[in-house]
Amino acid sequence: MPDSQTSTTELVTQYSSQLAGDLERNVQEQDRIRSEIDQLQGRLLALQHDHSVLATMQQALESGIPMQQAPASTGGRSAGSDHDYGLPGGSAGPRRRQSKPTLVALIRAYLAQQSEPSSAAEIAAALGEAHPDRVIKTTVVRTTLEGLVARSAAQRLKQGHSVFYAAREPADEEDTAREGREKQTARPASSKD
């Protein structure tokens, strides 16, 4: 029997050694997979961000809303940037001056010509007829009009359930600007909580 006890002890030692090695390899493989998952999650987040930026840029291009000009220097953009779409600040060559007026400029000009307020649908239809080369959507016109209202460049008039827009009178714009300056000066110094 001592012989069988020795072989059993050797077998247990061998299995124990093999299990310890297998456990170590398993832990290392888990660490490697976790590292890959972290890298993939980082790439996924970057791709999701890029998708969001690209979708916003596409909507801006389709709607005719001008994108904000980037400063002349490259700023935070690295010289070897992967994402250079020929937009302001990119190095896709010299930019040509935009020959089309912006949607904001078209809407302002339209409102200035009108003697009565117009709905967003009426404005979109009129601009679509006047500029058949452009795709002008009512929702984009409405959003642009609301932006003009927020900047006090146009006024919103409600009649029942309908909303109409009109150009601000020059006197109205001066009054609004003065009120804004008065509000700025009337604010108390930063209060301490």
Side-chain angles (χ1 to χ4, degrees):
M1 283 270 197
D3 221 9
S4 71
Q5 194 174 18
T6 307
S7 66
T8 304
T9 307
E10 288 176 7
L11 216 96
V12 169
T13 305
Q14 182 182 359
Y15 280 142
S16 179
S17 167
Q18 188 173 352
L19 286 173
D22 288 346
L23 282 172
E24 181 62 29
R25 280 190 296 278
N26 185 288
V27 168
Q28 289 174 351
E29 182 69 8
Q30 286 181 34
D31 290 342
R32 185 185 67 78
I33 297 292
R34 277 191 197 100
S35 174
E36 286 181 19
I37 288 172
D38 290 343
Q39 289 175 347
L40 289 172
Q41 283 179 332
R43 287 181 54 200
L44 177 61
L45 287 173
L47 287 171
Q48 287 172 333
H49 178 265
D50 288 351
H51 181 270
S52 172
V53 169
L54 292 170
T56 302
M57 289 170 32
Q58 183 179 30
Q59 287 175 344
L61 287 173
E62 289 173 354
S63 67
I65 296 174
M67 292 191 295
Q68 194 173 16
Q69 284 285 76
S73 70
T74 57
R77 189 181 293 251
S78 64
S81 176
D82 294 337
H83 306 292
D84 184 5
Y85 299 102
L87 297 173
S91 59
R95 285 183 45 102
R96 281 183 264 153
R97 200 104 173 98
Q98 200 176 28
S99 60
K100 291 187 200 177
T102 64
L103 185 61
V104 172
L106 292 175
I107 291 174
R108 281 184 174 192
Y110 178 83
L111 290 176
Q113 294 172 355
Q114 300 304 307
S115 58
E116 294 194 9
S118 304
S119 70
E122 293 169 342
I123 296 169
L127 293 178
E129 287 177 21
H131 301 276
D133 57 318
R134 295 178 74 155
V135 177
I136 298 178
K137 297 181 181 179
T138 304
T139 54
V140 176
V141 169
R142 184 175 299 113
T143 302
T144 305
L145 284 163
E146 288 299 325
L148 290 170
V149 168
R151 292 185 302 222
S152 301
Q155 63 185 127
R156 179 188 319 114
L157 306 163
K158 291 186 179 181
Q159 295 176 0
H161 292 291
S162 301
V163 179
F164 296 92
Y165 299 90
R168 284 282 237 189
E169 298 297 323
D172 289 345
E173 291 177 18
E174 291 172 13
D175 291 342
T176 304
R178 187 177 348 95
E179 287 173 9
R181 286 191 300 270
E182 288 172 358
K183 285 181 183 177
Q184 289 288 341
T185 57
R187 286 189 184 151
S190 64
S191 60
K192 295 180 182 175
D193 293 327

